[in-house]
Amino acid sequence: MTGWVTVAGLGPGDAAQITPEVSDALAEATDVVGYIPYVARIAPRAGLRLHPSDNRAETDRARHALDMAAQGLRVVIVSSGDPGVFAMASALFEVLEERPDRDADIRVLPGITAMLAAAARAGAPLGHDFCAINLSDNLKPFAIIERRLRHAARGDFAMAFYNPRSASRPDGFARVLDILRAECEPQRLMVFARAVSTPDEDLRIVSLAQATPDMADMRTVVLVGNRATRRVGRWVYTPRSARAAGV
Amino acid sequence: MTGWVTVAGLGPGDAAQITPEVSDALAEATDVVGYIPYVARIAPRAGLRLHPSDNRAETDRARHALDMAAQGLRVVIVSSGDPGVFAMASALFEVLEERPDRDADIRVLPGITAMLAAAARAGAPLGHDFCAINLSDNLKPFAIIERRLRHAARGDFAMAFYNPRSASRPDGFARVLDILRAECEPQRLMVFARAVSTPDEDLRIVSLAQATPDMADMRTVVLVGNRATRRVGRWVYTPRSARAAGV
């Protein structure tokens, strides 16, 4: 029996947003590794070992997965959303660089990433060119975040922010809002989408002028429209045409 | 019987990447509308009417869907990939603005968008902050595309390009490559991912210096790494940490 590692995206929370190819990989697995709340989403069954681990243990988790695969086990690394968007896929390849088994049997299976689940609930706020920015400053200095925010605003991209705010860095998101206010008009539409597709789901559509730091936490994805983003009925959307939007 | 419109993402091609909630919506539908090749992916069944239509008929298609829903029909508008990313969701809301039935029963169901399916096949090239840019100039002047490319490059975003090249605008992608060459180093890694998850799938990983316009067509998604994007084995990935990458 040849072992393998599959990095799989579970989507934002609802099992109805897990693709069949991810479900199939989980059905074939002997071992599942991942951050505690993501592994908690996997139904136990005979023959399946669950290995939940703490946040920020990404590289240890990747090593563990590759070690088990080298022993012939079939390992799924679970990520929330999509594994390639601020999640486990990059951590796995970082670890692969250190190792002799670079030809290990690895697959990456995409998932519904949080910004697209949130956008779908709100309408189509990312319907034109957009950026995805991780606001966590664990892995990059805030100066890089600021530079990217300014380029995104000056290019009139819509934006999606992951990890906007945590207890360990309560002030960062306030600084982000200050930068947006310096670059964008006060009427700019924003969506605060918390825990999309779970029982805790909460969606707020506000203007940049109305936005406050406490509207976001680590379960929130924040979307920012471009200059043309509009409301219609209960929806928010970005028109397809830059010409029609008068840009 | 109350009618509804659901805009649903079919993912890039493989049925194993269609979420259960999209399959459920299709099972409940009386009518499916969409661009000819996307409707061709829907299995015929008794009681389901298929309404394929031509490309660039997005607003007519959206009106047709809302008209049928107003008559009590259950209509799914199918998009490839995710309906909120350069697809039918924005067109539907544009049409909704013209109409009296703004409280129509509408849902948007996300799908696996092409850039994330392509990224998963290549490794994790979008593993850090990234932009998605539609290179079609049908709906915006090339000057906007150029401005966004330059901001994306100067912000050191990874990038994903949709609709890079078509027979009607064969020169646009050559201009895009010229702009990238002016802004980025020749070693910058790119992925040309054609028809991902279909039998025609083809993946090429090249440097910016090696890239040529003919590597892309309308079935290709093009990914561009950031300055830190690297190869390991047969994979290409972007490290999670800007510090580690020396930015």
Side-chain angles (χ1 to χ4, degrees):
Chain A
M1 182 71 75
T2 311
W4 47 253
V5 173
T6 293
V7 197
L10 298 179
D14 185 344
Q17 291 183 341
I18 299 177
T19 65
E21 72 175 4
V22 168
S23 296
D24 290 349
L26 288 165
E28 292 168 16
T30 57
D31 294 83
V32 171
V33 304
Y35 178 40
I36 298 161
Y38 308 152
V39 174
R41 292 174 55 191
I42 307 304
R45 61 172 166 78
L48 182 67
R49 286 173 297 271
L50 302 177
H51 307 271
S53 52
D54 202 0
N55 206 353
R56 304 203 188 182
E58 288 89 351
T59 50
D60 289 343
R61 187 184 297 145
R63 280 182 204 101
H64 185 203
L66 287 165
D67 287 344
M68 287 193 286
Q71 294 159 24
L73 298 173
R74 301 185 296 279
V75 185
V76 175
I77 304 176
V78 288
S79 274
S80 180
D82 181 273
V85 179
F86 313 128
M88 277 300 298
S90 285
L92 177 68
F93 294 113
E94 283 171 30
V95 165
L96 199 64
E97 286 217 49
E98 311 165 351
R99 295 173 63 102
D101 53 346
R102 290 193 185 178
D103 60 346
D105 184 351
I106 292 173
R107 284 189 308 166
V108 183
L109 301 182
I112 302 295
T113 187
M115 67 178 167
L116 298 185
R121 282 289 206 266
L126 303 178
H128 204 68
D129 302 333
F130 65 93
C131 295
I133 304 177
N134 186 349
L135 295 185
S136 169
D137 56 7
N138 292 335
L139 293 165
K140 64 188 165 195
F142 191 83
I144 290 183
I145 295 173
E146 173 165 354
R147 183 157 64 98
R148 290 184 179 155
L149 288 170
R150 292 192 189 275
H151 279 293
R154 291 172 193 178
D156 198 27
F157 286 96
M159 304 175 217
F161 302 145
Y162 286 75
N163 304 316
R165 195 159 179 258
S166 73
S168 65
R169 44 187 176 82
D171 300 329
F173 189 59
R175 292 168 72 187
V176 167
L177 289 176
D178 287 343
I179 293 164
L180 290 175
R181 288 186 177 117
E183 297 284 346
C184 306
E185 71 290 354
Q187 301 76 22
R188 182 68 59 102
L189 287 173
M190 299 182 68
V191 179
F192 288 82
R194 185 170 188 276
V196 166
S197 91
T198 78
D200 301 326
E201 176 172 317
D202 182 47
L203 209 72
R204 294 174 80 164
I205 300 172
V206 300
S207 69
L208 176 55
Q210 294 167 318
T212 56
D214 61 289
M215 291 180 182
D217 65 14
M218 285 306 277
R219 297 186 70 192
T220 308
V221 168
V222 181
L223 309 179
V224 183
N226 72 13
R227 277 188 285 173
T229 302
R230 311 165 54 81
R231 299 191 74 146
V232 55
R234 68 185 185 86
W235 305 97
V236 55
Y237 81 98
T238 302
R240 298 165 303 148
S241 170
R243 275 195 198 93
V247 172
Chain B
M1 181 72 76
T2 310
W4 46 253
V5 173
T6 293
V7 196
L10 299 178
D14 185 345
Q17 292 184 340
I18 299 177
T19 65
E21 71 176 5
V22 168
S23 297
D24 290 350
L26 288 165
E28 292 169 15
T30 57
D31 295 83
V32 171
V33 303
Y35 178 40
I36 297 161
Y38 309 151
V39 173
R41 293 173 55 189
I42 307 305
R45 62 172 165 78
L48 181 68
R49 286 174 297 270
L50 302 177
H51 307 272
S53 51
D54 202 0
N55 206 355
R56 305 205 187 180
E58 289 89 352
T59 51
D60 289 343
R61 188 184 296 146
R63 280 182 204 102
H64 185 204
L66 288 165
D67 288 344
M68 287 192 287
Q71 294 160 23
L73 298 172
R74 302 185 297 278
V75 185
V76 175
I77 303 175
V78 287
S79 276
S80 180
D82 180 273
V85 178
F86 313 127
M88 277 301 298
S90 284
L92 177 68
F93 294 113
E94 284 171 30
V95 165
L96 198 65
E97 286 218 49
E98 312 164 351
R99 295 173 63 101
D101 54 345
R102 291 193 183 175
D103 60 347
D105 184 351
I106 292 173
R107 284 189 308 166
V108 183
L109 301 183
I112 301 295
T113 188
M115 67 179 167
L116 298 184
R121 282 288 204 268
L126 303 178
H128 205 69
D129 302 334
F130 64 94
C131 296
I133 303 178
N134 186 348
L135 294 186
S136 169
D137 56 5
N138 291 335
L139 293 165
K140 64 188 166 195
F142 191 82
I144 290 183
I145 296 173
E146 173 165 355
R147 183 157 64 98
R148 288 183 180 156
L149 288 169
R150 292 194 190 275
H151 279 294
R154 291 172 192 178
D156 198 29
F157 285 96
M159 304 175 216
F161 301 146
Y162 285 72
N163 304 315
R165 195 158 179 257
S166 73
S168 64
R169 43 186 178 82
D171 300 330
F173 189 59
R175 292 167 71 186
V176 167
L177 289 176
D178 287 343
I179 294 164
L180 291 175
R181 287 185 177 119
E183 298 285 346
C184 307
E185 70 290 352
Q187 300 77 21
R188 182 68 62 100
L189 287 172
M190 299 181 68
V191 179
F192 288 83
R194 185 170 189 276
V196 165
S197 89
T198 79
D200 301 327
E201 176 171 317
D202 183 46
L203 210 73
R204 296 174 80 164
I205 301 173
V206 300
S207 69
L208 175 55
Q210 295 167 319
T212 56
D214 61 288
M215 291 179 182
D217 65 14
M218 285 305 278
R219 297 186 72 191
T220 309
V221 169
V222 181
L223 309 179
V224 183
N226 71 15
R227 279 188 283 174
T229 301
R230 310 166 54 81
R231 299 190 74 146
V232 54
R234 68 185 184 86
W235 304 98
V236 55
Y237 82 98
T238 302
R240 298 165 303 147
S241 169
R243 276 196 198 93
V247 173

